[in-house]
């Protein structure tokens, strides 16, 4: 959460910083600010509560001129969204932006107050800038002061600092929160995500855990956690591969929903043979590592956790390999037994989710055989720190509500299922059937998207509702969980999901005419059981909205709206049935008038605990 951008150049930087903030807004959008070393040699700053556009308006009426600057878009952790709490924070001639959480901030605050520092905000971040100021008095060198400062910090940080007395540089540090240097010609940059800098460069250096760095217009130097100078690889990013505008769509979310056939086609390319899956596409070590695996532990958060839940049905049901799934924030704080030959799998769109990353780091100390991440960002921490990775190839996902990341995760997890199944219960014929189903997937997704207008019509029934219940059985239960998460996060309607068989054990008490019940009903072996569950809802006057297979035998009737989907193979049904639930949430959110791409209180990338 929170986005940082900085620039040292031989031209004005406020426009570059502002565009960088716009591209980082997915990381937080409750306030934004910028600080620059002005032509008079002093630090000047502007801050506004609200989105980056508010800061932009402020800069139009009151511009910031200068060639060295830092900027920040915030997602509040300590202290409410306000101008005082917005970054950059200032102490004397020093300005600082920070992403992360300083856990010992109260103790530091007390110490600094005793040293005579006055605090203007409720943030943990302000302690860092005062500490820097304190150590600068002693060291008279910004880098030396930073080394001393980070020695006092407990917690996570990606931070960038400027000092009016050292006007040609930005100093930065990374521990627990991502930072990347963008390399230009006669200018260099720093940001939380390379996306922020794509308008100025395509060459990037990713800082590693514990790194600190100094960037100036013509140079950059990196020191590792032991303060030894190190060289890190330069990554060139292919600009053509990633587009980050909305095109003709009203929202990123809608664009990303409609991109699913093409990104899934891309994620299948080079991974499917005519009858089998090309395991080599998972990396040269994959075959060797996976053949000895006898169980799987999946850890993830939010939507990525739901992908893991679907994968559990596949890995146990199709590959015959025991599989456990847990949310990362629980996994990292409990005690458990690690079975021999267990593969530790993380799933993450961003590859930077703090809890998932912490779970991976913990797992590495616990005796798992190997780690694999299913991830959408090639340069992310999860990819760099895992033994194996399966890239989802979804392209940048900007809408806070995850859509194409989820379905591409499912495709990648189906690959993993087959890769494991080959050494366990899966026959060649079963693998061939999965390949056939995957090949059909992009066209079936396009066909399903054609239901958009029917779904839009259906969404009217939800506009005045305050609650909704999502039901599924088997691998469709996590699809129902994902549907409920989508509805609540973008329409703010309270939604819950249940495996349909659980209904009579409590939630049935909630069912009445004001509680819409949404069911996902492919024509699978649990269909008849699901029908009985839905009859229980009808018998209590509940209004049903059923997404079903053409051959499932549902009919629109009083109390039951149905939308028929194309007939699909069971194995890919969770991917197909996700689409109508994404569209339903989208249309309900439009009716509610919420901020679809940036719903309240949320951020795209959760890099704090
Ligand atoms: C879902 O729409 C959310 N964006 C959220 O639940 C998200 O999936 C979660 O924060 C995990 O993010 P990650 O995939 O980047 O790790």
């Amino acid at each position: 959460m929170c986005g940082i951008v900085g620039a040292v150049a031989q031209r004005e930087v406020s426009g570059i910083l502002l565009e960088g903030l716009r591209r980082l807004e997915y990381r937080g959008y409750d306030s934004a600010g910028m600080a620059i070393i002005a032509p008079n040699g002093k630090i000047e700053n502007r801050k506004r509560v609200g989105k980056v556009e508010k800061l932009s308006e402020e800069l139009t009426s009151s511009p910031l001129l200068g060639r060295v600057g830092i900027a920040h878009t915030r997602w509040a952790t300590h202290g409410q969204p306000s101008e005082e709490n917005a970054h950059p924070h200032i102490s004397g001639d020093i300005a600082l932006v920070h992403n992360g959480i300083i856990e010992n901030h109260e103790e530091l605050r007390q110490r600094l107050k005793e040293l005579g520092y006055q605090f203007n905000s409720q943030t943990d971040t302000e302690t860092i800038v005062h500490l820097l100021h304190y150590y600068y008095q002693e060291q008279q060198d910004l880098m030396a002061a930073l080394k001393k400062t980070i020695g006092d910090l407990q917690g996570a940080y990606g931070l960038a600092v400027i000092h009016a007395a050292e006007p040609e540089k930005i100093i930065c540090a990374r521990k627990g929160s991502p930072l990347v240097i963008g390399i230009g010609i006669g200018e260099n940059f720093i940001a939380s995500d390379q996306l922020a800098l794509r308008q100025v460069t395509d060459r990037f250096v990713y800082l590693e855990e514990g790194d600190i760095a100094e960037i100036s217009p013509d140079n950059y130097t990196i020191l590792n956690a032991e303060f030894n100078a190190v060289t890190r690889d330069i990554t060139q990013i292919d600009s053509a591969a990633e587009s980050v505008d909305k095109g003709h769509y009203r929202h990123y979310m809608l664009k990303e929903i409609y991109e699913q056939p093409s990104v899934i086609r891309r994620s299948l390319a080079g991974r499917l043979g005519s009858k089998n899956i090309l395991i080599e596409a998972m990396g040269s070590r994959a075959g060797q590592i996976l053949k000895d695996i006898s169980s799987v532990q999946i850890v993830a958060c939010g939507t990525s956790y739901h992908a893991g839940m679907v994968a559990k049905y596949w890995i146990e049901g199709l590959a015959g390999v025991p599989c456990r799934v847990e949310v990362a924030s629980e996994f990292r704080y409990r005690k458990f037994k690690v079975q021999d030959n267990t593969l530790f799998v993380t799933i993450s769109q961003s590859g930077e989710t703090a809890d998932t990353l912490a779970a991976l780091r913990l797992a590495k100390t616990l005796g798992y055989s190997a780690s694999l991440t299913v991830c959408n960002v090639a340069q992310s921490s999860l990819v760099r720190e895992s033994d194996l990775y399966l890239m989802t190839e979804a392209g940048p996902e900007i809408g806070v509500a995850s859509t194409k990341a989820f379905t591409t995760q499912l495709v990648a997890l189906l690959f993993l299922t087959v890769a494991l199944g080959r050494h366990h219960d899966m026959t060649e014929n079963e693998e061939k059937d999965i390949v056939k189903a995957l090949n059909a997937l992009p066209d079936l997704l396009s066909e399903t998207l054609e239901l958009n207008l029917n779904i839009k019509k259906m969404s009217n029934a939800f506009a005045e509702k305050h609650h909704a219940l999502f039901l599924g059985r088997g691998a469709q239960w996590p699809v129902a969980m994902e549907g409920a998460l989508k509805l609540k996060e973008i329409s703010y309607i309270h939604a819950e999901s249940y495996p349909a068989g659980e209904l009579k054990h409590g939630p049935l008490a909630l069912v009445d005419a004001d509680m819409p019940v949404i069911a996902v009903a492919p024509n699978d072996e649990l269909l008849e059981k699901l029908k009985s569950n839905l009859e229980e809802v009808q018998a209590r006057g509940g209004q049903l909205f059923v997404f079903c297979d053409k051959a499932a035998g549902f009919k629109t009737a009083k109390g039951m709206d149905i939308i028929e989907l194309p007939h699909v193979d069971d194995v890919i049904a969770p991917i197909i049935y996700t689409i109508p639930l994404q569209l339903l949430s989208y249309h309900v959110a439009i009716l509610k008038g919420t901020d679809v791409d940036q719903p309240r209180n949320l951020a795209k990338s959760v890099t704090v605990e």
Side-chain angles (χ1 to χ4, degrees):
M1 337 289 268
C2 301
I4 291 173
V5 60
V8 266
Q10 289 157 9
R11 55 175 166 152
E12 295 297 327
V13 293
S14 70
I16 298 171
L17 297 179
L18 201 57
E19 177 58 22
L21 287 186
R22 287 196 183 99
R23 291 166 181 239
L24 287 178
E25 209 168 28
Y26 74 87
R27 301 177 68 87
Y29 36 81
D30 62 44
S31 53
M34 186 184 292
I36 269 180
I37 301 179
N40 64 6
K42 301 242 179 293
I43 300 257
E44 285 189 17
N45 75 91
R46 308 277 183 273
K47 299 176 182 185
R48 286 301 288 270
V49 174
K51 293 194 172 185
V52 172
E53 228 23 66
K54 294 278 178 212
L55 180 66
S56 170
E57 286 164 15
E58 169 76 10
L59 288 168
T60 306
S61 56
S62 177
L64 277 180
L65 298 177
R67 297 173 176 197
V68 177
I70 52 178
H72 186 270
T73 178
R74 181 168 185 249
W75 184 82
T77 56
H78 297 73
Q80 63 186 24
S82 66
E83 283 189 14
E84 299 77 54
N85 290 335
H87 302 212
H89 289 283
I90 312 273
S91 186
D93 284 339
I94 301 177
L96 168 135
V97 288
H98 166 228
N99 169 28
I101 290 181
I102 302 306
E103 287 166 2
N104 58 335
H105 71 101
E106 278 175 9
E107 169 199 324
L108 291 173
R109 185 177 276 257
Q110 195 48 42
R111 192 176 125 200
L112 286 157
K113 277 185 178 167
E114 283 162 18
L115 288 166
Y117 284 92
Q118 281 192 346
F119 281 77
N120 300 313
S121 76
Q122 290 86 51
T123 64
D124 52 337
T125 302
E126 198 181 348
T127 58
I128 315 176
V129 74
H130 291 319
L131 262 186
L132 268 165
H133 183 270
Y134 171 73
Y135 282 124
Y136 192 85
Q137 311 307 310
E138 183 185 293
Q139 304 288 319
Q140 292 299 308
D141 175 82
L142 191 54
M143 181 57 103
L146 180 73
K147 287 179 185 169
K148 287 267 195 180
T149 299
I150 59 178
D152 289 355
L153 302 181
Q154 287 164 20
Y157 50 82
L159 55 87
V161 189
I162 54 175
H163 194 316
E166 299 186 24
E168 290 282 296
K169 64 174 78 152
I170 295 177
I171 305 281
C172 50
R174 175 208 160 135
K175 187 178 158 225
S177 302
L179 270 189
V180 59
I181 297 174
I183 304 168
I185 299 168
E187 54 190 18
N188 286 310
F189 310 93
I190 185 85
S192 308
D193 182 337
Q194 48 86 14
L195 269 183
L197 302 173
R198 294 294 289 281
Q199 82 278 21
V200 282
T201 185
D202 58 0
R203 296 168 68 227
F204 298 97
V205 174
Y206 290 87
L207 294 188
E208 296 191 4
E209 275 301 272
D211 282 355
I212 55 178
E214 174 177 320
I215 63 167
S216 59
D218 296 311
N219 201 10
Y220 65 88
T221 48
I222 302 173
L223 307 182
N224 64 12
E226 287 75 44
F227 302 149
N228 297 318
V230 283
T231 309
R232 304 267 181 240
D233 292 343
I234 296 178
T235 306
Q236 180 115 21
I237 305 242
D238 172 12
S239 309
E242 298 182 346
S243 119
V244 287
D245 61 51
K246 275 188 255 191
H248 62 276
Y249 291 94
R250 184 169 163 196
H251 293 101
Y252 281 110
M253 183 184 178
L254 192 62
K255 174 179 176 241
E256 288 158 4
I257 289 174
Y258 272 87
E259 279 175 346
Q260 290 175 104
S262 63
V263 295
I264 284 184
R265 193 168 273 120
R266 183 164 80 200
S267 78
L268 295 174
R271 287 175 169 171
L272 291 185
S274 58
K275 297 183 188 148
N276 56 355
I277 274 161
L278 307 174
I279 307 267
E280 310 74 55
M282 290 171 64
S284 53
R285 295 167 64 211
Q288 190 58 32
I289 290 177
L290 296 182
K291 85 177 177 13
D292 296 324
I293 293 300
S294 56
S295 80
V296 174
Q297 170 71 62
I298 297 177
V299 169
C301 304
T303 290
S304 298
Y305 167 73
H306 297 155
M309 289 285 290
V310 174
K312 177 183 167 71
Y313 285 89
W314 287 337
I315 291 172
E316 299 209 328
L318 303 171
V321 176
C323 177
R324 297 198 303 193
V325 191
E326 191 157 351
V327 288
S329 53
E330 287 300 311
F331 176 88
R332 61 184 288 199
Y333 290 116
R334 77 177 180 88
K335 294 201 166 46
F336 45 83
K337 291 285 285 175
V338 177
Q339 287 175 359
D340 288 344
N341 303 322
T342 300
L343 178 68
F344 185 82
V345 176
T346 54
I347 308 171
S348 174
Q349 188 285 128
S350 61
E352 302 293 351
T353 300
D355 284 321
T356 312
L357 194 53
L360 170 64
R361 289 176 182 159
L362 172 70
K364 286 176 153 186
T365 67
L366 294 178
Y368 287 97
S369 290
S371 58
L372 178 147
T373 189
V374 172
C375 189
N376 196 37
V377 180
Q379 301 80 17
S380 63
S381 303
L382 278 176
V383 170
R384 284 184 286 133
E385 295 184 30
S386 298
D387 298 316
L388 297 174
Y389 52 84
L390 253 173
M391 298 315 301
T392 46
E393 313 284 354
E397 191 182 64
I398 308 295
V400 165
S402 191
T403 53
K404 61 177 181 171
F406 178 67
T407 48
T408 52
Q409 283 168 350
L410 292 181
V411 169
L413 289 162
L414 203 42
F415 277 111
L416 176 63
T417 304
V418 175
L420 291 165
R422 276 208 196 148
H423 304 289
H424 293 86
D425 291 357
M426 194 176 287
T427 63
E428 277 182 23
N429 273 341
E430 282 165 341
E431 179 169 347
K432 195 169 130 198
D433 288 343
I434 293 176
V435 169
K436 195 169 154 211
L438 279 170
N439 271 320
L441 185 56
D443 288 344
L444 286 165
L445 286 165
S446 300
E447 209 180 313
T448 308
L449 285 166
E450 285 169 20
L451 298 169
N452 181 40
L453 282 182
N454 298 355
I455 296 168
K456 187 176 175 190
K457 228 188 264 169
M458 182 186 263
S459 68
N460 289 315
F462 291 76
E464 304 300 324
K465 301 292 187 223
H466 299 288
H467 309 275
L469 204 53
F470 285 72
L471 302 177
R473 294 197 70 136
Q476 298 296 338
W477 171 38
V479 171
M481 292 165 84
E482 176 58 10
L485 176 62
K486 285 290 88 87
L487 189 70
K488 75 182 108 181
E489 82 180 315
I490 61 166
S491 76
Y492 315 152
I493 291 177
H494 167 231
E496 286 195 69
S497 59
Y498 274 92
E502 272 290 291
L503 210 52
K504 54 189 166 298
H505 299 292
L508 204 51
L510 294 170
V511 170
D512 61 16
D514 286 328
M515 171 71 89
V517 178
I518 302 103
V520 272
N523 195 6
D524 60 16
E525 60 183 16
L526 289 169
L527 179 64
E528 292 311 316
K529 303 262 178 223
L530 178 70
K531 280 183 172 171
S532 310
N533 303 140
L534 300 187
E535 274 166 26
E536 293 161 10
V537 172
Q538 277 192 297
R540 276 129 190 115
Q543 177 70 33
L544 278 167
F545 299 87
V546 185
F547 296 101
C548 61
D549 187 285
K550 277 181 180 151
F554 287 99
K555 293 262 171 305
T556 296
K558 191 168 177 318
M560 164 128 59
D561 271 16
I562 69 157
I563 289 187
E564 290 181 341
L565 274 71
H567 177 68
V568 298
D569 192 290
D570 279 2
V571 72
I572 56 163
I575 306 175
I576 296 289
Y577 279 76
T578 296
I579 306 296
L581 303 189
Q582 293 171 345
L583 286 168
L584 181 66
S585 304
Y586 176 77
H587 291 301
V588 175
I590 295 290
L591 291 172
K592 290 281 204 181
T594 57
D595 188 340
V596 172
D597 284 333
Q598 295 177 330
R600 68 185 180 199
N601 306 340
L602 299 179
K604 180 73 180 163
S605 184
V606 187
T607 57
V608 292
E609 195 177 344

